[in-house]
Amino acid sequence: TEKAKAIYSYVRSHMGYVNTSDKSDWRIAAYRAMTRKSGDCFVYYSITQILLTRANIPNMQVQRTTSTHYWSLVQVEGGWYHLDTTPRNLGGKFCLVTDQQLTNYMNATGDRNSHTYDKSKYPARATKIISDIM
């Protein structure tokens, strides 16, 4: 859990958002993150994936169903949690949050599609809250 939180903090503090990237290969996107320190959600996801994998934290890509947005599911404390390092215009930090926390965020901000995804494609997500959306 602490490693995942540290990776989240590192990516958020060392990257800048620009709304473009090559989405053909996550490795290309991760390289962009390391060399340019900027990118869109796919770049943020890609560098996060490499860091999580190197830290031996099980993770997988999640893709929004309503339009293009990428983030990670990570397995910590015996459950799968959302970890989205991409900054959002409406605020919020999505570090180890549950489906319910994402739903609450979408309802509270009116950003109803920010994290809409096909839940049937992923393992069951944890319901125990271990981190708040800030």
Side-chain angles (χ1 to χ4, degrees), residues 6 14 16 20 32 39 43 49 53 65 84 94 102 109 111 113 120-121 124-125 132:
H14 285 81
T20 184
R32 176 190 175 128
V43 173
Q49 177 188 349
T53 300
T65 54
D84 185 355
F94 305 92
L102 287 180
T109 62
D111 191 3
N113 294 318
S120 69
K121 292 183 178 182
R125 274 81 50 217
D132 290 327

Side-chain angles (χ1 to χ4, degrees), residues 31-130:
Y31 181 77
R32 176 190 175 128
M34 289 183 275
T35 58
R36 297 186 190 173
K37 299 191 183 332
S38 66
D40 65 4
C41 64
F42 190 69
V43 173
Y44 275 81
Y45 156 75
S46 297
I47 191 64
T48 302
Q49 177 188 349
I50 283 180
L51 295 171
L52 290 167
T53 300
R54 293 293 296 161
N56 293 317
I57 299 171
N59 67 93
M60 63 181 65
Q61 180 190 85
V62 180
Q63 185 174 355
R64 184 168 63 190
T65 54
T66 56
S67 65
T68 306
H69 181 61
Y70 301 88
W71 69 94
S72 301
L73 274 180
V74 299
Q75 189 177 38
V76 297
E77 297 189 22
W80 288 93
Y81 290 88
H82 298 274
L83 191 139
D84 185 355
T85 54
T86 308
R88 302 206 57 84
N89 288 337
L90 298 175
K93 293 182 180 178
F94 305 92
C95 181
L96 305 178
V97 298
T98 65
D99 282 355
Q100 187 60 54
Q101 287 174 293
L102 287 180
T103 298
N104 293 347
Y105 169 84
M106 290 186 287
N107 290 337
T109 62
D111 191 3
R112 301 208 189 281
N113 294 318
S114 70
H115 292 87
T116 304
Y117 68 103
D118 184 348
K119 294 175 181 162
S120 69
K121 292 183 178 182
Y122 303 96
R125 274 81 50 217
T127 56
K128 176 185 169 191
I129 294 174
I130 60 173

